[in-house]
Amino acid sequence: MDVPSGAATTAEEYARLLAAQIPAGFDHPLIAAHSAAGLLMPALARELDANHQVWLAAAVADYVGRRSLLAEIKQSPLDVFNTEWVGIDPTSDPVLAAYFLFHDANLATLKEALLTIAPCDLSAVYAETPPEDPARISSTYVLPTGDRTLSTTWMRRVARQRLRCEPIEIAAAAHNFYAARSEDVAAIIDEVAKTL
């Protein structure tokens, strides 16, 4: 589904916009989010009465500490991000997008993936104190160990502490690993779905 850039000021407002994109007939779905969309997932899970969340190298807000992601980044940017990533806008240059987001993709996949890059302003949600406990429902965190954006140490910690789950690690995978490793991601989600 499309996250409408700058279309709302809270995760709950975004959740309503996203839920409206889903066809009728989905009861208690398993939902997945990637990267900054993780900040929207707990509110969307509540809106959809979801039964499980899958975090794909996704940001998990500090609900217990009552800190926005922006406050966490300002306090310690290199805890959250890899050093090279700070200040990078991958939507501004396909070379940056390839290096930071799709470095595990072959050329054909990279060509297709680069067509999906678009800016998305979620700045209001970055600054929002998290409204929903991300651990309210069960989660699976999928961690790409070759991520050049989010710190793998940070992702492991938030999976364990904020979601209370052990991350599933995909070796040498890039931040947008679902492009090059779509079968791996689908298999993980399928296995999770079988347990629900």
Side-chain angles (χ1 to χ4, degrees):
M1 66 180 72
D2 291 325
V3 177
S5 179
T9 58
T10 68
E12 290 176 350
E13 290 172 5
Y14 272 108
R16 287 192 291 276
L17 291 171
L18 294 172
Q21 296 180 42
I22 298 174
F26 284 92
D27 294 324
H28 313 295
L30 176 154
I31 61 174
H34 171 254
S35 198
L39 299 174
L40 309 176
M41 190 153 55
L44 182 59
R46 181 175 293 284
E47 184 74 20
L48 297 175
D49 194 22
N51 67 0
H52 194 81
Q53 302 167 117
V54 178
W55 307 75
L56 303 173
V60 182
D62 185 7
Y63 178 81
V64 174
R66 308 306 297 150
R67 279 190 303 176
S68 69
L69 182 62
L70 186 59
E72 184 173 3
I73 291 168
K74 284 182 177 179
Q75 184 178 4
S76 190
L78 297 182
D79 279 352
V80 180
F81 297 121
N82 283 315
T83 307
E84 287 184 300
W85 174 254
V86 177
I88 295 297
D89 175 7
T91 66
S92 67
D93 184 339
V95 173
L96 292 174
Y99 180 80
F100 284 100
L101 306 179
F102 303 110
H103 59 85
D104 60 346
N106 62 34
L107 185 57
T109 301
L110 178 60
K111 286 179 178 179
E112 288 182 28
L114 288 174
L115 297 174
T116 69
I117 298 296
C120 184
D121 179 8
L122 293 177
S123 56
V125 178
Y126 271 61
E128 179 182 29
T129 301
E132 297 281 341
D133 183 356
R136 182 183 63 81
I137 64 171
S138 64
S139 288
T140 299
Y141 197 101
V142 186
L143 188 158
T145 64
D147 199 319
R148 293 177 176 164
T149 61
L150 293 175
S151 157
T152 54
T153 301
W154 183 81
M155 287 188 284
R156 283 186 193 104
R157 185 172 69 246
V158 299
R160 292 169 179 154
Q161 294 176 358
R162 298 179 188 176
L163 300 174
R164 299 183 209 107
C165 70
E166 190 62 29
I168 296 171
E169 300 194 12
I170 299 182
H175 185 65
N176 291 44
F177 62 97
Y178 55 83
R181 311 282 181 95
S182 57
E183 291 182 7
D184 293 337
V185 174
I188 290 167
I189 292 173
D190 188 50
E191 284 303 309
V192 169
K194 290 175 184 175
T195 67
L196 301 177

